[in-house]
Amino acid sequence: MTPAPIKELISFSDFEKLDIRVGTITSVSDVEKSKKLMKLTVDFGDHTRTILAGIKQERENPSEIEGKQALFVVNLPEQKMAGEVSQGMLFDIGYADKQLPCLAMPEFPMPNGSRAG
């Protein structure tokens, strides 16, 4: 793989607008109206959210990520896709570079809701 060029510089204040948090994936279920999306239920410590992620075709068994912690962008507007509502975005590694994506995960267990940055 040849790494993509670095994107245009942003200000630190732009970066600070992103709210990236650790959450534990408590369940993974199918989104019947989609060939790509799976519905993740994610525990953020003080609340739970539904986050849709395009992982259906990336993994032989998408349920294998249940119980794992990962990073999520939580301050995006809710988005309706395939008849379901997504309340954030899974922060994964590799998809943009056409690699088999993997979860962006903490090195060791962290409290749900911990912020990245």
Side-chain angles (χ1 to χ4, degrees):
M1 180 193 103
T2 301
I6 294 175
K7 293 180 181 181
E8 180 181 329
L9 293 177
I10 62 170
S11 68
F12 189 73
S13 63
D14 284 340
F15 170 75
E16 284 184 311
K17 292 176 185 176
L18 286 175
D19 193 342
I20 301 169
R21 297 190 184 225
V22 172
T24 298
I25 301 164
T26 58
S27 70
V28 178
S29 57
D30 188 36
V31 175
E32 292 182 19
K33 294 180 182 178
S34 175
K35 294 179 182 177
K36 296 181 180 181
L37 297 173
M38 296 295 289
K39 180 166 62 171
L40 312 180
T41 302
V42 184
D43 178 1
F44 289 100
D46 61 346
H47 69 285
T48 300
R49 290 187 180 208
T50 297
I51 296 183
L52 302 179
I55 65 170
K56 191 182 286 188
Q57 297 175 347
E58 296 170 0
R59 298 173 178 273
E60 191 172 317
N61 177 12
S63 294
E64 69 190 4
I65 64 172
E66 283 183 7
K68 293 187 183 280
Q69 287 192 309
L71 297 179
F72 298 86
V73 181
V74 296
N75 64 332
L76 295 170
E78 288 186 355
Q79 188 164 345
K80 193 168 187 177
M81 298 181 277
E84 301 276 351
V85 174
S86 185
Q87 300 171 304
M89 184 181 82
L90 174 66
F91 200 82
D92 65 2
I93 302 166
Y95 178 81
D97 294 313
K98 298 182 178 24
Q99 301 295 308
L100 181 63
C102 67
L103 299 179
M105 304 171 62
E107 179 180 350
F108 48 83
M110 294 293 293
N112 288 331
S114 296
R115 295 178 293 165

